[in-house]
Amino acid sequence: MPSELSHGHPRFSQDMSNSSVSTPSASLKNLEWQQRNPEDEEYHNKQICKWTYQDVVDFMFTAWDDLKCENLDINFAELSGSTGLNLLQLDENGFKQFSKGYGDRIYRYFLDYRAKEERRQSQVESHQPYFTNNHLYSTPYEMNGDDNNYHPRVTSKQSPIVCETAAPYEVRYERLDHRELRFEDGSRYMPSSLNYPTAAMKTYIPSNAHSSPGVHSRVAENISDIEHSNNEEEPRPEPPKKRGPGRPRKPENELKKKKKKTGRLWEFIRNLLLDPATCPSLVRWENPEEGMFRFVQAEKVAQKWGDRKQNKDMNYEKLSRAMRYYYKTEIFEAVLGRRLVYKFGKNAKNWRPSNPNFPDHQTP
DNA sequence: GGTCATTTTCCTGCTT
DNA sequence: AAAGCAGGAAAATGAC
């Protein structure tokens, strides 16, 4: 049987059954300085030149959403396989191949995004402190109500160096005076080089630098804490617990984590249905005229949703509960008697496929 | 900080 | 029996 997940799709070519994906919420025990696979990062967390096809698709959907485009007008046949490097080489006409109606606007949106990335880069070059908790870039656009275009948001006050995260493998950006940024292969980042700093970089303190209390010492403490707790704690008998109804309170130390915008579940599902990389392999249309579709690989869809929400515990059971909540708002309609089948309701927008299940898109 | 919408988590009971 | 469905309950989370 041909794997439906390959398709030359960089993200999907990973072994999706591997449940040991590292996320910030992954158990801190057994953690060393393991680095997140750069391909696990979402597109706004990495340089455009490192975008995979999936990142490009995510970017296009985000642009389409943010630009409040009326109809979904993305030519996946043209877009298929494109990476960030490809996008960087395109002009407006190139973007129009991907979207006849919105190519020009998406192109400007992309240029703005790119300008933002370059400005971040120049901040690093000029040794200005720039730091986020766990990613380099934040959503960089805002709408100008007058001309309906997007413009880079200028945030003049970027708060320097606040590091609260306990995940020791997350990147720390700091002033570069006493430190070096390095790429994964250990080579040094030079501000003038073509390679921008990435979220996969580590920071190093040269041995001759003054050791000052700060991020790194805190990281080290975290690691030693982890090792400590790993070695010290003996298994203790768990009292038999019977929980009451409802969602249990999260442990204190897991609260207050800043999450990024992830979009709504029904839009995520819709996007899977409109993308030949995921339709019909993960989800497929049963009756596109009526908006009826079916989960083909329900657990994998849930896993992808969990990836997006940085929730390694997501599964189809929980995802389907969220799907059922949409019945009330008529985003989805119940399809009685058919397992794994749902239907878009009257309040769902832009789900209508131009090429349902992409019959001509099978890879040889 | 309060409110609201949207999940997420867990559950019981039911159906396929 | 297992998987999926329906929907209640309550907590988490982000947006406003």
Side-chain angles (χ1 to χ4, degrees):
Chain A
M1 286 293 107
S3 163
E4 292 169 314
L5 287 176
S6 42
H7 286 297
H9 195 300
R11 191 125 148 190
F12 292 172
S13 60
Q14 298 167 33
D15 180 8
M16 305 275 284
S17 65
N18 180 0
S19 60
S20 63
V21 182
S22 33
T23 70
S25 56
S27 166
L28 291 178
K29 295 192 182 211
N30 308 320
L31 256 183
E32 298 182 359
W33 265 92
Q34 58 177 286
Q35 296 198 3
R36 187 181 283 158
N37 180 348
E39 294 198 349
D40 292 337
E41 294 283 351
E42 291 184 42
Y43 75 86
H44 49 268
N45 292 340
K46 52 184 166 182
Q47 306 157 253
I48 297 168
C49 64
K50 293 194 173 163
W51 285 359
T52 62
Y53 171 56
Q54 180 62 45
D55 295 322
V56 169
V57 170
D58 288 346
F59 171 82
M60 295 294 281
F61 274 123
T62 304
W64 169 63
D65 272 339
D66 283 354
L67 292 167
K68 311 230 176 333
C69 301
E70 289 289 311
N71 308 304
L72 186 68
D73 175 19
I74 298 176
N75 185 341
F76 283 102
E78 283 295 332
L79 189 66
S80 181
S82 300
T83 64
L85 275 176
N86 299 134
L87 292 195
L88 287 166
Q89 288 158 15
L90 292 178
D91 57 9
E92 182 170 328
N93 285 333
F95 273 76
K96 280 181 174 167
Q97 290 182 327
F98 299 152
S99 174
K100 271 203 173 66
Y102 303 115
D104 50 344
R105 291 172 65 192
I106 295 175
Y107 177 60
R108 288 202 300 276
Y109 183 98
F110 177 73
L111 287 184
D112 287 345
Y113 187 96
R114 184 176 166 179
K116 180 80 172 182
E117 179 179 281
E118 281 163 5
R119 204 167 68 247
R120 293 255 192 267
Q121 162 67 3
S122 67
Q123 282 185 344
V124 173
E125 283 182 18
S126 61
H127 291 201
Q128 287 183 18
Y130 175 68
F131 185 81
T132 72
N133 254 7
N134 56 8
H135 51 81
L136 181 53
Y137 306 117
S138 55
T139 308
Y141 298 95
E142 59 190 7
M143 179 77 91
N144 178 325
D146 297 332
D147 61 8
N148 216 29
N149 286 334
Y150 275 76
H151 302 279
R153 181 191 296 139
V154 180
T155 52
S156 55
K157 41 176 183 186
Q158 244 127 21
S159 57
I161 315 202
V162 180
C163 181
E164 303 178 327
T165 176
Y169 51 87
E170 286 182 349
V171 68
R172 276 90 168 125
Y173 290 96
E174 258 213 284
R175 289 182 177 83
L176 300 177
D177 45 3
H178 290 317
R179 301 167 214 288
E180 300 164 5
L181 283 173
R182 295 197 185 193
F183 290 97
E184 290 157 274
D185 63 4
S187 61
R188 282 178 62 179
Y189 163 66
M190 301 301 286
S192 58
S193 76
L194 286 173
N195 296 319
Y196 296 176
T198 76
M201 280 180 165
K202 295 175 180 178
T203 50
Y204 287 79
I205 308 175
S207 55
N208 59 352
H210 299 298
S211 66
S212 58
V215 172
H216 287 75
S217 53
R218 263 179 276 156
V219 172
E221 280 166 19
N222 286 337
I223 293 170
S224 77
D225 286 349
I226 292 158
E227 286 168 350
H228 208 61
S229 66
N230 219 8
N231 298 335
E232 196 176 286
E233 208 52 50
E234 292 301 321
R236 49 177 181 273
E238 286 284 327
K241 45 189 172 190
K242 186 162 173 76
R243 58 176 305 283
R247 183 178 181 158
R249 193 180 286 276
K250 274 198 172 179
E252 279 299 311
N253 58 3
E254 287 186 31
L255 296 174
K256 294 178 182 174
K257 274 183 193 162
K258 187 86 177 169
K259 295 261 169 120
K260 58 182 168 242
K261 199 177 165 186
T262 50
R264 296 178 65 193
L265 172 61
W266 78 267
E267 293 169 327
F268 172 78
I269 300 295
R270 175 197 61 193
N271 294 352
L272 295 185
L273 281 160
L274 298 174
D275 182 352
T278 47
C279 174
S281 56
L282 301 189
V283 284
R284 67 173 297 125
W285 293 100
E286 288 294 280
N287 185 334
E289 286 74 32
E290 291 182 23
M292 192 184 292
F293 63 92
R294 173 168 61 87
F295 285 92
V296 177
Q297 301 201 47
E299 286 301 336
K300 284 195 171 142
V301 172
Q303 205 174 66
K304 278 180 74 64
W305 177 238
D307 288 346
R308 167 132 334 180
K309 299 293 289 285
Q310 297 181 285
N311 176 359
K312 65 180 171 42
D313 298 322
M314 182 48 62
N315 56 31
Y316 178 69
E317 192 183 347
K318 288 185 271 199
L319 183 148
S320 65
R321 180 69 191 95
M323 297 283 286
R324 291 194 293 274
Y325 265 119
Y326 284 117
Y327 296 157
K328 208 186 300 188
T329 52
E330 297 187 85
I331 298 284
F332 290 134
E333 286 175 27
V335 178
L336 296 175
R338 294 205 57 191
R339 293 184 165 206
L340 303 170
V341 176
Y342 298 80
K343 190 177 163 181
F344 286 106
K346 67 176 165 64
N347 293 327
K349 306 282 182 234
N350 294 318
W351 52 262
R352 213 167 282 280
S354 54
N355 187 14
N357 297 328
F358 306 98
D360 301 323
H361 195 269
Q362 305 303 318
T363 47

